[in-house]
Amino acid sequence: KFFADHFLFMPAEHGFVIGPTGSGKTNKNYNLVNWLKHTEVILWISASKDNDIAPLFYMGKPVNVIIPKYASIDISLEGKPIDNLTITEVSEPSDVFYAIKNDHINILEVRNAFYERDALLDWMIRLFQILAEWTRHGQMPRFRPDKKSGGKSKIAMFIDESQWLIAGSKVTNDPKRAKATEIISENALEIRTYGWRIIISSQGFTNVPPIIRENMACAFLCSNADIKEPEKLRNACHPKDPHIMPASKFHRSQFKFVNREGQFSPIFKPVTAPQFPKDPEDREKASRIRIQYGRTYHDQPPKEAEAETECLPQLGRFSHMAIPPEKQTPEFTRWQTGEIED
């Protein structure tokens, strides 16, 4: 009840899942998706590694994978298509928000969709700029989470292993990446007022910039989370009371929830998050799902795309409705083919 009152039913409350490699952060995110899928539209920004999105196909909802145009992804189970899977191509960042499906688990696959890292960062910067602008000006498409929600949250945005996108100075000093982090962070935090919640995961508290970690009101402390500041998280990681289990003794399946006031629950021992998928048969299937990213990239469109771009102007949210021109087969006369000699 403490967790439900202070997070699940708290409108647009951000969350920060913290723990080193192997502490089960991604599985904690699966559990959060499972809790929030009934009341909020889910948007999972994938880290594009280790088949991490496979368990999301077993959440009891269809899945919508959103990927930039010209990039490709193949998802199959023993060579066969996955049931209830839709792959939606988008031409530009603004199209993402029209591609989101209310009754689906939405997965944004961008990390492997670009050949150049700078092109990826520019695309994500624009995505978050549009997100902030459209929510501020009331231009965002209407999302309809389950009517039973009773709260104001509309979308829960998960950024798994967030340091690839928003990294603190401890992770990188690259000027381009630092600038992208600054712009994305500034725009990301603005959207809480408009019913969007962000849930990020990171290997360490200082792996993300201060502006982000200071605004992640709630925390989920995983096994071996080691946080010295702020005090509210230090007390949960390294309690002075000998009867309270420290994070260093958590099992990788366990975690402790800390609310914005620094109160944590459970107090004495952590709670265990079930492994996803929960059903052993589904878990076995998820382990056999094959996810392969093609060697085609959004920032390296094929040559035939040039003619298509000339014929199809930037149509924004209507671009997915456009019908590209048919490929024309060259026609030659018998004179040109040499069938008739001079």
Side-chain angles (χ1 to χ4, degrees), residues 67-74 89 112-113 292-297:
I67 189 167
K69 193 173 184 179
Y70 307 126
S72 63
I73 184 171
D74 180 69
E89 288 187 346
N112 286 334
Q292 184 173 6
Y293 301 93
R295 294 184 179 180
T296 56
Y297 306 98

Side-chain angles (χ1 to χ4, degrees), residues 45-320:
I45 299 181
S46 173
S48 304
K49 66 179 184 65
D50 303 331
N51 277 25
D52 277 355
I53 64 172
L56 297 173
F57 294 101
Y58 297 93
M59 289 286 179
K61 284 197 170 191
V63 173
N64 177 37
V65 174
I66 304 169
I67 189 167
K69 193 173 184 179
Y70 307 126
S72 63
I73 184 171
D74 180 69
I75 304 174
S76 61
L77 176 59
E78 297 181 337
K80 298 179 181 179
I82 302 291
D83 293 335
N84 298 317
L85 168 63
T86 302
I87 296 181
T88 305
E89 288 187 346
V90 292
S91 297
E92 51 191 274
S94 59
D95 294 339
V96 170
F97 304 110
Y98 291 96
I100 293 172
K101 298 180 183 293
N102 292 324
D103 56 346
H104 286 54
I105 302 293
N106 298 277
I107 302 172
L108 180 59
E109 281 285 356
V110 291
R111 195 178 182 186
N112 286 334
F114 291 81
Y115 187 81
E116 297 289 345
R117 187 203 59 176
D118 286 359
L120 167 62
L121 293 176
D122 288 338
W123 205 87
M124 293 304 293
I125 286 171
R126 188 60 189 140
L127 177 77
F128 278 89
Q129 286 175 332
I130 292 170
L131 172 57
E133 290 169 6
W134 284 10
T135 51
R136 185 168 61 248
H137 297 300
Q139 298 174 328
M140 185 62 67
R142 181 172 295 181
F143 300 106
R144 299 179 182 276
D146 194 304
K147 293 181 180 179
K148 294 181 293 185
S149 65
K152 296 181 180 180
S153 295
K154 298 175 182 178
I155 284 196
M157 177 190 290
F158 289 79
I159 308 179
D160 191 32
E161 297 291 355
S162 62
Q163 56 265 23
W164 73 266
L165 181 61
I166 43 177
S169 57
K170 181 179 178 181
V171 176
T172 180
N173 289 315
D174 177 72
K176 174 73 175 184
R177 196 171 171 193
K179 185 63 177 177
T181 294
E182 178 185 341
I183 296 172
I184 291 172
S185 301
E186 179 182 347
N187 287 282
L189 295 175
E190 187 177 328
I191 63 178
R192 182 178 184 272
T193 305
Y194 306 98
W196 287 60
R197 88 161 81 221
I198 297 177
I199 299 166
I200 67 173
S201 63
S202 178
Q203 296 174 4
F205 184 70
T206 57
N207 282 18
V208 297
I211 188 175
I212 286 287
R213 60 180 185 251
E214 290 168 6
N215 284 276
M216 294 291 109
C218 299
F220 299 84
L221 305 179
C222 302
S223 172
N224 289 309
D226 183 15
I227 303 172
K228 303 297 191 296
E229 295 294 337
E231 184 180 0
K232 69 174 187 178
L233 296 184
R234 182 182 70 234
N235 291 339
C237 286
H238 309 285
K240 296 179 180 179
D241 188 334
H243 298 96
I244 300 177
M245 184 184 293
S248 60
K249 294 185 178 181
F250 292 0
H251 184 269
R252 72 184 307 269
S253 65
Q254 297 176 321
F255 73 96
K256 185 170 287 188
F257 169 70
V258 185
N259 72 358
R260 61 170 49 243
E261 284 80 30
Q263 301 168 318
F264 50 87
S265 177
I267 295 177
F268 297 104
K269 292 184 178 182
V271 66
T272 298
Q275 185 71 24
F276 266 85
K278 288 184 177 181
D279 185 277
E281 184 177 339
D282 288 342
R283 197 177 309 148
E284 196 273 333
K285 287 181 180 178
S287 69
R288 291 187 282 115
I289 285 181
R290 177 177 177 270
I291 301 173
Q292 184 173 6
Y293 301 93
R295 294 184 179 180
T296 56
Y297 306 98
H298 181 72
D299 53 333
Q300 292 187 346
K303 291 182 179 180
E304 56 265 26
E306 296 177 4
E308 181 179 325
T309 302
E310 291 177 4
C311 296
L312 298 176
Q314 293 296 322
L315 300 178
R317 60 180 169 140
F318 301 108
S319 60
H320 68 285

